[in-house]
Amino acid sequence: MATIKDVAKHAGVSVATVSRVLNEIGYVHEDTRKKVEAAIGELQYTPNEVARSLYKRKSRLIGLLLPDITNPFFPELARGVEDEMHENDFRIIIGNSDENIKKEKEYIQTFVQNNVVGAIASTNHPDTDTYRKLNIPVVFLDRTADNRPSVYSDGREGGRIAAHEMVARGSREITIIQGPKHVRPAQDRYQGAADILSDQGILFNVVQTSSYSFTEAGTWAKELFEQYPNTDGVIASNDIVATAVLHEALRLGKKVPDDVQIIGFDDILLSSLLTPSLTTIRQPAYDMGRAAASLLIQLIENQNIDHKTIQMPVTFTERDTTRKVEQHG
Amino acid sequence: MATIKDVAKHAGVSVATVSRVLNEIGYVHEDTRKKVEAAIGELQYTPNEVARSLYKRKSRLIGLLLPDITNPFFPELARGVEDEMHENDFRIIIGNSDENIKKEKEYIQTFVQNNVVGAIASTNHPDTDTYRKLNIPVVFLDRTADNRPSVYSDGREGGRIAAHEMVARGSREITIIQGPKHVRPAQDRYQGAADILSDQGILFNVVQTSSYSFTEAGTWAKELFEQYPNTDGVIASNDIVATAVLHEALRLGKKVPDDVQIIGFDDILLSSLLTPSLTTIRQPAYDMGRAAASLLIQLIENQNIDHKTIQMPVTFTERDTTRKVEQHG
DNA sequence: TTTATATGTGTAACCGGTTCCACATTAAGG
DNA sequence: CCTTAATGTGGAACCGGTTACACATATAAA
């Protein structure tokens, strides 16, 4: 690889001059610029970002920490982040935490060691020292952190909508599947749904889960119908779990949505392709990723920012696991 | 952030000594080591990877280039790569190429500029200068490159199996959906299937596609049944496309698998969850990712390697979009 | 014409590590 | 007791960039 010295020698100037034309900073004579540019072209020189980063104490890299890219919701987020970052010439170091604090810390440390300029993290522990002590901007994605920059969707409202729509469509003995205790958005969704049902005095059961894995989801789905056989409506913690419930219901010979209605959360690709297709509360994942990236860039560039916390809207996406309500009016 | 100088001062030694204890190289007196380790602990010092990387001219970073992480096949690969790399203390810079040469080049350049020690690429152009001129090891994943390190599954064999099983289950007018022309594995699959059908003298049609996007897949599915209404078997280029075909067939009132059989490729999560669930040719994506990472690490560490090319087995995964064959014997 | 200012370029310090080398001290061998 | 090898440590060069500063020349203003 050619270095700046090679270019300098080749063009018959000093490295400082080469640096000036590279960065378009300071005075450089037109003729000199041309010589340097020619040399750069001939040697196919591209500056070493590592050296640059060392001196400047910041790179063009940002860290992206996600729970598990294998969960279909996260690639959408990741892609949104990447697209926005790429357009702004930032690159991404990625890590999967598996919701595991140790791995999370490890990755954050890697980010710091590599001089990232900022990070986007989807974590359940935004209030730990791991983040508080960081002196780079961090945007929390899909998870809130009070008073810290974050992009998330309104899980509570989502839960409310789900409960409301399900009741409006006639379910009277509802089971809510409560997501993993340590996953914040899952608890918000649960809380929203529970609030509405309590308010309306509707009976509901709760099934507690501890992960989003599909295999385990099957087990909980079985458990659900064993424990609460009269359930006529299920509000699931996400679409993966909802899918497992749908399969179990069908396996038990229940008619969906006639015997049981099901509402999921997220709206991943899968949801629209199931038979019957899954009614769900949609989160604009890709847009959330882009928004987080955009916010982080503003933070990095130290622009004044009005809204450090961006709440994205959640939408009821009606498909075939819920009954239709008659048109009024 | 504390630097090595701070640690040295704090411990009352030189930076060289601190470096020695960090790297466990050369002679260091036990007492000195303890002092240094104490200082490191107190200052919460972690070495700056950038400085290290600059001097050594290599980092602990590897580049991972994928077409599109939004396509459910790739997160599996990515996760396999990440897990293997993480266990070996390598971190990942990720990029989505969208099968676009310009973006691909950009990312490869970023990798080089950041001193990555190696790269894993899923590209259709492994034989370009972009890769040939690189002086870091590269492993091609999911895509072959003759005589270059690569991990892929036997697409041709997969195509053959699909054709064979479909014929064995009675389809006689088969339509093969040929994946994008520029995507190598897609062409292999097509070729494998076409070979078998030709050999057996079975009539088949071909529908040409140009991407893996689900929305477009719907269009091709429509086209398929318009152009070849008598199709009684579809071999799709992957599970996404197969899903679109399944939906279109159902929409047209065809019975699957009685009127039309469908075989996909990849075996993504979605496939097992459809109704009817999708018969497909499974690729061990996660394991492929791990294998690629492991191979790259060997290459980086310059170990002697027997098999620079790893072909992973492909398996017929029978589900409900194909008819059952009777047990013989 | 003289002075102030703008333009153009090179030298060298610096970023935070690693490693070569010189030098000192201690332990082992004859 | 002397020589040699092993052990222990620090100074300084180096990796490849960026930038403060000094210096030279050209241009504009007085």
Side-chain angles (χ1 to χ4, degrees), chain A residues 67-96:
Chain A
D68 179 13
I69 205 167
T70 264
N71 175 331
F73 176 69
F74 294 108
E76 293 288 331
L77 285 181
R79 195 61 215 263
V81 170
E82 211 228 74
D83 286 354
E84 184 73 23
M85 283 300 172
H86 186 262
E87 286 168 18
N88 290 276
D89 292 322
F90 289 102
R91 298 296 125 96
I92 293 173
I93 301 185
I94 197 171
N96 290 110

Side-chain angles (χ1 to χ4, degrees), chain A residues 44 118 251 313:
Chain A
Q44 297 211 47
R251 200 183 65 85

Side-chain angles (χ1 to χ4, degrees), chain A residues 182-319:
Chain A
H182 58 282
V183 178
R184 262 284 206 70
Q187 294 314 305
D188 290 348
R189 292 169 201 178
Y190 169 76
Q191 207 52 57
D195 285 354
I196 291 290
L197 296 183
S198 302
D199 282 3
Q200 301 200 217
I202 305 241
L203 183 67
F204 70 94
N205 317 302
V206 179
V207 170
Q208 171 73 51
T209 68
S210 60
S211 86
Y212 280 148
S213 110
F214 185 77
T215 21
E216 291 187 81
T219 315
W220 293 312
K222 278 206 174 59
E223 190 185 311
L224 185 158
F225 289 114
E226 276 163 19
Q227 286 198 263
Y228 310 110
N230 298 323
T231 292
D232 65 351
V234 177
I235 297 177
S237 46
N238 73 3
D239 286 354
I240 300 280
V241 174
T243 302
V245 171
L246 172 59
H247 271 248
E248 180 64 11
L250 261 23
R251 200 183 65 85
L252 293 174
K254 293 178 188 284
K255 293 219 161 50
V256 178
D258 300 334
D259 300 339
V260 201
Q261 302 193 90
I262 302 172
I263 297 184
F265 212 105
D266 285 350
D267 194 21
I268 58 181
L269 174 62
L270 167 65
S271 311
S272 60
L273 301 176
L274 295 172
T275 315
S277 58
L278 186 69
T279 295
T280 190
I281 306 295
R282 174 178 172 75
Q283 292 194 70
Y286 180 83
D287 294 334
M288 287 168 66
R290 270 202 112 103
S294 166
L295 178 56
L296 182 58
I297 291 171
Q298 290 180 299
L299 255 15
I300 289 169
E301 291 171 352
N302 218 340
Q303 296 170 4
N304 272 3
I305 303 181
D306 316 344
H307 310 289
K308 293 206 176 187
T309 292
I310 301 175
Q311 198 179 56
M312 309 285 280
V314 113
T315 48
F316 179 63
T317 303
E318 183 172 16
R319 296 211 185 89

